[in-house]
């Protein structure tokens, strides 16, 4: 399997063998259940669909109830496909993290960053702002300044850094080290920070 679905629990820190304090994130990884196996003959590509986290039946549509019942499992909140799996898995199999990951190796984590709402250029793009007074704004220290280029080219270029919605985007953090694993509790401890708020879903990739 190229990865697992997980949930961010929160942050903590541990000490390594040299006494260095390392900031870590605790992640809940299990159980992940195979809810569908896609093949080249039936679907045009190979993939394994995985479900994670329990969901109430009354909040599940009839179609999805039937979909999960085929895998002999309860309804799941999060369902994700992993394409081109290297491990053979059957419908209804439970994926365990210690079969995929091991302590000391490096993983990539995909999540949705925290939404910050509509923000100005100082917060969104780290413009100078107060103290530096960038772009000649003598009386408005957090303003973006001039955005045009006079008669030539007489327009604003696409991609210009301006105020706007910040955060709430898909973010991938690469090469986080697996510090500790607790298979009996389905918990994994990785170095560094990962995107998203507490209890948000993330994807662990090898």
């Amino acid at each position: 399997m190229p990865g697992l679905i997980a949930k961010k629990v929160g942050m903590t820190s541990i000490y390594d063998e040299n006494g260095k304090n390392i900031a870590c994130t605790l992640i809940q990884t299990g159980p992940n259940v195979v809810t569908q196996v896609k093949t080249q003959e039936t679907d045009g590509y190979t993939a394994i669909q995985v479900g994670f986290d329990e969901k109430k039946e009354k909040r599940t549509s009839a179609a999805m109830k039937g979909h999960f019942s085929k895998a002999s499992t309860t309804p799941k909140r999060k369902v994700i496909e992993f394409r081109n799996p290297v491990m053979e898995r059957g419908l209804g199999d439970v994926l365990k993290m210690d079969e995929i990951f091991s302590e000391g190796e490096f993983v990539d984590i995909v999540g949705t960053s925290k939404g910050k709402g509509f923000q100005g250029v100082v917060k969104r793009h780290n413009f100078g702002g107060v103290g530096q007074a960038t772009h000649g704004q003598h009386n408005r220290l957090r303003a973006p300044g001039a955005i045009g280029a006079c008669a030539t080219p007489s327009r604003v270029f696409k991609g210009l850094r301006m105020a706007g919605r910040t955060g709430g985007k898909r973010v991938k953090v690469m090469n986080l080290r697996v510090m500790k694993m607790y298979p009996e509790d389905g918990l994994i401890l990785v170095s560094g920070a990962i995107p998203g708020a507490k209890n948000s879903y993330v994807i662990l990739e090898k």
Side-chain angles (χ1 to χ4, degrees):
M1 286 294 296
L4 289 175
I5 313 172
K7 182 185 287 187
K8 180 178 178 179
V9 177
M11 292 200 69
T12 184
S13 63
I14 61 172
Y15 291 93
D16 64 5
E17 60 276 6
N18 299 319
K20 182 180 178 181
N21 186 267
I22 302 174
C24 299
T25 305
L26 189 64
I27 304 170
Q28 178 74 45
T29 61
N32 278 234
V33 181
V34 177
T35 55
Q36 188 177 0
V37 178
K38 296 191 174 183
T39 62
Q40 189 71 36
E41 295 75 21
T42 58
D43 303 281
Y45 64 98
T46 58
I48 288 181
Q49 186 188 88
V50 178
F52 172 73
D53 205 6
E54 298 299 321
K55 184 179 181 181
K56 291 183 179 179
E57 284 200 13
K58 68 178 183 179
R59 294 181 180 176
T60 307
S61 66
M64 291 306 295
K65 285 181 184 177
H67 181 73
F68 291 120
S69 65
K70 287 182 181 178
S72 302
T73 186
T74 55
K76 304 298 179 184
R77 285 183 179 272
K78 192 72 172 178
V79 178
I80 288 178
E81 278 187 7
F82 293 101
R83 290 205 173 194
N84 303 320
V86 295
M87 300 170 64
E88 291 291 335
R89 291 295 181 179
L91 200 61
D93 287 354
V94 177
L95 305 177
K96 298 180 180 179
M97 66 175 186
D98 52 349
E99 297 176 352
I100 303 172
F101 303 105
S102 59
E103 289 187 8
E105 71 173 344
F106 292 88
V107 296
D108 301 337
I109 299 182
V110 181
T112 303
S113 62
K114 289 183 180 180
K116 305 291 185 180
F118 194 97
Q119 302 295 334
V121 292
V122 173
K123 185 177 180 70
R124 192 182 190 202
H125 298 296
N126 299 314
F127 277 23
V130 178
Q132 299 180 48
T134 55
H135 299 283
Q137 297 297 306
H138 69 284
N139 61 348
R140 293 174 292 132
L141 299 182
R142 296 180 71 90
I147 63 170
C150 199
T152 304
S154 66
R155 64 187 177 89
V156 178
F157 288 108
K158 287 184 178 181
L160 186 69
R161 295 180 299 169
M162 301 178 72
R165 287 282 294 274
T166 308
K169 294 183 177 179
R170 182 182 173 94
V171 178
K172 186 174 189 176
V173 180
M174 304 180 73
N175 296 327
L176 298 180
R177 188 171 186 175
V178 178
M179 306 301 294
K180 294 280 186 179
M181 294 180 62
Y182 306 94
E184 63 279 1
D185 299 317
L187 296 171
I188 185 170
L189 196 67
V190 298
S191 62
I194 66 175
K198 291 180 181 178
N199 296 320
S200 60
Y201 296 108
V202 296
I203 303 172
L204 271 70
E205 299 178 347
K206 287 183 73 71

